[in-house]
Amino acid sequence: MKLHLNIAEINCIINTNGGYVERLADNNKEIIYEEYKYISKEGKEKSRGGIFACIPNFGVDEITHENKHGYGREKDWGVIKKTSDSVVMELDGEREYEKLKSYLSYRVLKNSLEVNLILENNGEEILNVAPAFHPYFKTYGQILIEDKIYSEEELASTVFINQSKMNFTNGDKEFSIETNNINTFALWTDNLDKYFCVEPTFNGTSFSDKINKPYKLKPGEKFEINMVISWK
């Protein structure tokens, strides 16, 4: 199901199948690269674009062996509340995360988008979580991230920066991403088209053997992350 959020000249489309932002445009100029699907060299269908939440993990999972970026973008989310400029959705977990409840909300503001994710452990066991947000930005020109230009090779290998706020320019627009409970940004593109990702994460690839620093979510506890993408 597709839900439309609007305020002034900003148009946002949320797809409940995956709980992701399908389109974000300001005065008909795309802020986010719209989703497209393609077939990989291995013959698998893959997608690029939009903004989605990585639940329960960002990147590879060598701890609990969930799919890359988790299961949140693969499931149909239920709608709790919808207004003209916001939506709140919910999702039940699966497998080892059967008792993990996820709440995801989007709200459009003037020249900005607010995204909030709450993970709630309704079980009796500690759960490893390390959620993230994965936005694809449409490229309009030179990308300057915190006053630095990164090469295509650097971004293809993923650049990790330990901070909670990120500023960058994309062509003639200036962007900022402010976050809560986020400590590492991942900068990435695979150069398949004109997009790049600035991804707020919790400890980067926390579920990898190399990092292995997930948050230990206790029974009855909630873990919340938030980001606000602003542009001018």
Side-chain angles (χ1 to χ4, degrees):
M1 180 170 59
K2 297 185 180 184
L3 306 174
H4 292 260
L5 311 181
N6 299 280
I7 184 171
E9 299 298 324
I10 300 174
N11 174 250
C12 181
I13 299 176
I14 307 298
N15 194 326
T16 59
N17 187 9
Y20 70 97
V21 176
E22 186 174 292
R23 182 180 192 237
L24 178 63
D26 187 349
N27 201 20
N28 286 322
K29 185 173 183 178
E30 305 298 332
I31 300 295
I32 296 301
Y33 185 88
E34 291 191 71
E35 183 192 37
Y36 85 98
K37 297 183 183 297
Y38 71 100
I39 303 299
S40 69
K41 294 179 180 179
E42 296 77 25
K44 297 181 179 180
E45 183 180 81
K46 294 190 174 184
S47 65
R48 294 289 185 267
I51 303 174
F52 63 87
C54 303
I55 304 168
N57 60 291
F58 170 80
V60 297
D61 181 358
E62 296 169 330
I63 298 176
T64 61
H65 305 291
E66 286 289 336
N67 294 333
K68 185 176 182 180
H69 298 322
Y71 56 78
R73 61 175 173 167
E74 302 169 352
K75 304 300 178 182
D76 196 29
W77 291 68
V79 177
I80 298 176
K81 183 180 180 181
K82 165 72 169 65
T83 68
S84 62
D85 60 5
S86 68
V87 63
V88 181
M89 301 179 292
E90 63 180 353
L91 180 69
D92 291 326
E94 58 180 32
R95 298 186 292 276
E96 183 175 333
Y97 291 90
E98 181 181 4
K99 298 298 183 179
L100 184 69
K101 188 80 171 185
S102 301
Y103 299 93
L104 179 62
S105 65
Y106 296 100
R107 181 165 67 122
V108 291
L109 304 163
K110 181 175 174 58
N111 295 335
S112 64
L113 174 71
E114 181 180 37
V115 189
N116 194 74
L117 174 67
I118 299 174
L119 303 182
E120 182 178 10
N121 185 354
N122 293 319
E124 298 179 354
E125 304 291 334
I126 291 176
L127 295 174
N128 292 315
V129 298
F133 298 121
H134 200 310
Y136 284 77
F137 294 93
K138 186 170 182 177
T139 303
Y140 283 102
Q142 186 179 73
I143 307 301
L144 192 64
I145 302 174
E146 295 288 352
D147 298 323
K148 180 176 179 179
I149 298 174
Y150 290 90
S151 68
E152 291 183 353
E153 291 75 18
E154 287 178 301
L155 294 177
S157 298
T158 310
V159 175
F160 290 97
I161 300 178
N162 296 324
Q163 58 192 55
S164 60
K165 181 179 179 180
M166 186 68 68
N167 298 305
F168 60 95
T169 59
N170 177 11
D172 61 354
K173 280 193 179 296
E174 297 179 8
F175 287 81
S176 72
I177 302 180
E178 298 187 34
T179 68
N180 179 51
N181 262 355
I182 291 294
N183 55 21
T184 305
F185 277 85
L187 313 179
W188 172 84
T189 183
D190 54 11
N191 303 307
L192 291 179
D193 206 350
K194 293 184 177 181
Y195 56 73
F196 67 102
C197 299
V198 182
E199 307 157 67
T201 77
F202 180 82
N203 289 333
T205 52
S206 298
F207 277 41
S208 66
D209 288 335
K210 181 179 179 180
I211 305 296
N212 197 359
K213 289 184 178 179
Y215 183 83
K216 303 293 185 179
L217 189 64
K218 301 179 183 66
E221 186 182 10
K222 296 179 182 180
F223 184 78
E224 181 174 359
I225 63 172
N226 173 277
M227 78 168 176
V228 178
I229 301 173
S230 302
W231 59 88
K232 62 181 180 179

